Amino acid sequence: MSAVRIRGVGKRYTTATGETVTGLSPVSLSIEPGSFISIVGRSGCGKSTLLRLVAGLEQPTAGAVEIDGAPVAAPPDSVRYVFQNYAESLLPWKTVRENIRFGLRHAYALEGREADPRQWDAVIEEKLAEVGLHGISGRYPAELSGGMQQRVAIARALASRPRILLLDEPFSAVDALSRAKLQDLLLDVWRSHGLTILFVTHDIDEALYLSDRVIVLAPGGKGIEEDAPVTVSRPRDQIETRAHETYLNLRGEILHRVLQEGAPA
Amino acid sequence: MTAERTLPLPGLASAPRPNFAWARHYLRSRAFGWTLVALMLVAWQVTASAIFMPELPSLSAIGAEWVLQMREGELAPALLETLRVAAIGYAIAAVAGITVGFLMGRVRIIWAMAEPFVELLRQIPISAILPLLILYLGVDDALRIVIVVIVASFPILLNSFAGARSLSRTMRLTAETFRLSWWQTQVEIGLPAALPYILVGMRQALAMTLVMAVITGMLAGNSGIGYFILEAQQVLNVRALFAGVLTVAAVGYLLNAIFLLIERRLTRWRAIGTAGD
Ligand SMILES: Nc1ncnc2c1ncn2[C@@H]1O[C@H](COP(=O)(O)OP(=O)(O)OP(=O)(O)O)[C@@H](O)[C@H]1O
Ligand SMILES: [Mg+2]
């Protein structure tokens, strides 16, 4: 059974002035449990819209999303969304520790069970270590760099023990070197937690390096343009994988497709 | 750093420039204003002791009167009475203003229901409904407290409303993706996000509360520090009059200072610059 099944899902928005905007034309996708899927495409092509629909944060105007076979009407327990604008998604009045604790308290896996708050501090440090952060748990989000804030947001999502993680351009605020590190951290987390990940990025290289499958959305919300499996073997390596023949061929193909698209939407 | 600054610049004035950093710092701090206050008080004391004026007693005489009135006179009980009215009124205004304002900002139906009332009522000056209030409530405690509540609740309500509206879309979606219930969303996200606004409203209301608590003591019920001042005027005790007025100023200043301290403590997280900027 697929972890996520997207059946003819589309979204039209009505703006404040009454205009109708196509957020995303109907798309269909089936996502295997435990897979890492990347979604790339130009700005405004509907990547965030697709993620919000999967997260149950918005209702589609066409089709339906199913998670583990059940149609999504409200945000499902097993899905967590890490937002594009992390600066607003961390709770600024809470320290890093309290933000992670927020994730722990709202973990679906703990629901109904009595969680032992004495163990939480240890768990919090463990979650932070998973995203490569140490000794910052007493700070407020405003005292962290953008990339650190985004990592805290990821740690908070992990603390709530989702099975499906949706990441919306999580590394866009990070320099290239830290980015390579974070990509590897994310792959470790993905593997060790057995997560299904939907990862939105502008960066085709990043998408190829991380994923089992890259989905290219056409500009202007026109839907799926390309759905390419990435057959490069795992574990991946920043230097070897990126020099791999299959990787390079795939990269060439996708870039060719995207660039052919003509003028920006 | 200072060494560099005091070096004469070639081609410019040859004499080393004096370092005015301390002066600039002083002129830009509140110590400057406090010095002016102190100078004014000194001028007052000197003038009043040199020239006898019944309408302007010296500060020392006012001080002596203040001690006397606090110890044996009516000032201490009057002050307590005013503070009691202010505290009760302020507490009610805070609870009512935060609850109504916040809910108006978070629940559409409550907004639709309450907005016309709020907009109509806040146009009415308190003096215009005073006769009605006296008619219904008499001239007792109830009247004084209700006046404070009416005046103080509006700034709290309007700011709480603005704070509740300030919740960003991302934050609302964060609450949803973590599957917070409606109640959890309000308590864990809505209220903390609105807190800075609520505190602004509460500070505005605090000043108005004290003013109204003093005035209502003059208007009705003959109580509190307002009545103390009025009575001092009637018996032409100018020293007591000044003692009363200065007490109000000092209490107002003190309350505001305490409030600022609490506010800074509660919103510490906002005082920090973003490291990513
Ligand atoms: N709430 C909304 N109301 C109206 N239109 C919207 C809304 N949200 C998104 N849109 C529109 O839907 C389209 C897709 O937006 P979306 O945010 O999904 O793009 P995106 O691919 O995530 O872009 P970016 O890479 O810039 O984040 C855009 O044209 C956008 O203007
Ligand atoms: Mg987006």
Side-chain angles (χ1 to χ4, degrees):
Chain A
M1 192 171 58
S2 315
V4 182
R5 170 157 285 170
I6 298 168
R7 298 172 186 266
V9 166
K11 179 75 186 176
R12 298 176 75 78
Y13 292 103
T14 310
T15 62
T17 51
E19 213 183 324
T20 310
V21 181
T22 304
L24 184 68
S25 298
V27 297
S28 294
L29 269 180
S30 195
I31 295 165
E32 297 306 309
S35 56
F36 197 125
I37 312 281
S38 283
I39 301 163
V40 296
R42 296 222 182 101
S43 190
C45 69
K47 304 182 295 294
S48 299
T49 301
L50 180 60
L51 243 52
R52 281 196 296 270
L53 291 168
V54 172
L57 296 173
E58 260 168 19
Q59 290 309 306
T61 44
V65 177
E66 284 172 17
I67 305 263
D68 301 325
V72 170
D77 275 337
S78 52
V79 180
R80 289 290 177 273
Y81 195 133
V82 177
F83 294 92
Q84 191 168 358
N85 36 350
Y86 51 84
E88 285 181 20
S89 115
L90 288 177
L91 306 177
W93 53 85
K94 286 187 189 293
T95 60
V96 169
R97 180 183 294 115
E98 291 161 347
N99 265 289
I100 310 277
R101 194 177 293 147
F102 175 88
L104 280 175
R105 280 196 296 118
H106 297 290
Y108 87 92
L110 294 177
E111 265 173 30
R113 255 199 275 157
E114 203 50 55
D116 183 0
R118 272 171 306 178
Q119 291 171 1
W120 284 8
D121 277 350
V123 179
I124 287 166
E125 290 305 327
E126 183 190 306
K127 292 297 161 200
L128 286 170
E130 276 189 289
V131 292
L133 294 173
H134 302 275
I136 54 139
S137 53
R139 295 206 212 160
Y140 286 99
E143 295 169 319
L144 303 175
S145 73
M148 286 160 106
Q149 290 179 29
Q150 187 59 288
R151 280 189 269 171
V152 174
I154 294 173
R156 182 181 67 176
L158 289 176
S160 74
R161 308 184 57 78
R163 274 184 296 116
I164 301 169
L165 192 60
L166 312 177
L167 297 156
D168 198 347
E169 296 187 35
F171 304 146
S172 54
V174 179
D175 64 279
L177 287 176
S178 319
R179 205 167 167 144
K181 274 234 151 83
L182 287 175
Q183 289 165 352
D184 290 333
L185 273 173
L186 184 62
L187 286 178
D188 288 342
V189 166
W190 169 64
R191 214 181 1 245
S192 62
H193 289 255
L195 293 165
T196 306
I197 291 185
L198 261 77
F199 184 94
V200 165
T201 175
H202 276 128
D203 181 347
I204 288 172
D205 276 306
E206 180 169 75
L208 283 169
Y209 178 71
L210 292 170
S211 319
D212 297 319
R213 202 170 141 195
V214 175
I215 288 158
V216 183
L217 291 184
K222 291 198 202 67
I224 296 178
E225 175 169 280
E226 168 120 27
D227 183 347
V230 184
T231 49
V232 186
S233 65
R234 293 188 189 269
R236 303 220 170 132
D237 177 272
Q238 289 288 355
I239 294 162
E240 277 173 32
T241 301
R242 287 177 194 277
H244 201 281
E245 201 185 321
T246 325
Y247 176 94
L248 290 173
N249 288 341
L250 206 51
R251 179 175 187 272
E253 266 173 52
I254 291 179
L255 274 178
H256 187 64
R257 272 291 197 97
V258 172
L259 293 177
Q260 243 182 2
E261 258 308 309
Chain B
M1 170 195 113
T2 28
E4 213 175 78
R5 259 202 210 155
T6 47
L7 275 181
L9 291 169
L12 290 175
S14 51
R17 283 193 306 160
N19 193 336
F20 284 122
W22 67 269
R24 197 174 312 132
H25 181 76
Y26 168 77
L27 287 173
R28 290 160 59 90
S29 78
R30 264 187 305 185
F32 184 35
W34 279 116
T35 314
L36 292 181
V37 170
L39 282 177
M40 206 197 74
L41 293 178
V42 169
W44 178 348
Q45 174 69 14
V46 170
T47 321
S49 343
I51 316 158
F52 175 75
M53 287 177 289
E55 68 276 20
L56 189 69
S58 70
L59 279 176
S60 50
I62 295 170
E65 180 73 21
W66 186 84
V67 171
L68 185 75
Q69 290 288 353
M70 280 302 263
R71 278 213 187 126
E72 293 153 32
E74 286 299 305
L75 186 54
L79 179 61
L80 281 180
E81 172 61 14
T82 297
L83 288 177
R84 184 183 67 85
V85 170
I88 296 175
Y90 187 68
I92 297 175
V95 172
I98 293 172
T99 310
V100 177
F102 182 76
L103 287 178
M104 274 176 73
R106 304 292 321 147
V107 187
R108 182 74 192 196
I109 279 196
I110 295 185
W111 174 83
M113 192 175 71
E115 204 267 355
F117 284 102
V118 171
E119 282 305 311
L120 282 174
L121 289 176
R122 81 188 182 100
Q123 310 302 329
I124 308 173
I126 189 76
S127 50
I129 49 167
L130 192 62
L132 279 176
L133 289 176
I134 293 176
L135 185 67
Y136 296 144
L137 300 170
V139 289
D140 276 339
D141 233 23
L143 177 76
R144 280 174 281 144
I145 290 172
V146 165
I147 288 176
V148 170
V149 170
I150 291 175
V151 172
S153 50
F154 280 101
I156 301 180
L157 187 152
L158 295 174
N159 281 288
S160 302
F161 173 74
R165 301 297 309 161
S166 75
L167 196 65
S168 70
R169 177 166 116 118
T170 306
M171 223 165 251
R172 190 170 48 75
L173 292 179
T174 300
E176 281 187 43
T177 191
F178 281 94
R179 300 199 27 88
L180 269 63
S181 65
W182 182 87
W183 180 251
Q184 286 173 326
T185 305
Q186 309 316 319
V187 172
E188 292 191 33
I189 294 186
L191 273 176
L195 187 66
Y197 292 78
I198 293 174
L199 289 172
V200 167
M202 286 184 71
R203 197 145 65 81
Q204 289 171 2
L206 185 64
M208 294 160 105
T209 294
L210 192 62
V211 169
M212 290 323 291
V214 171
I215 290 180
T216 54
M218 296 179 167
L219 287 176
N222 294 348
S223 75
I225 203 157
Y227 181 64
F228 175 90
I229 291 170
L230 214 59
E231 207 183 30
Q233 184 212 11
Q234 271 154 15
V235 301
L236 287 176
N237 185 348
V238 184
R239 292 176 189 179
L241 206 150
F242 269 110
V245 171
L246 294 179
T247 304
V248 173
V251 167
Y253 186 87
L254 197 69
L255 287 179
N256 190 56
I258 293 172
F259 193 97
L260 278 178
L261 220 65
I262 297 172
E263 178 174 341
R264 208 162 301 154
R265 177 103 192 111
L266 285 177
T267 56
R268 211 173 15 172
W269 53 273
R270 287 184 98 218
I272 320 152
T274 308
D277 283 349

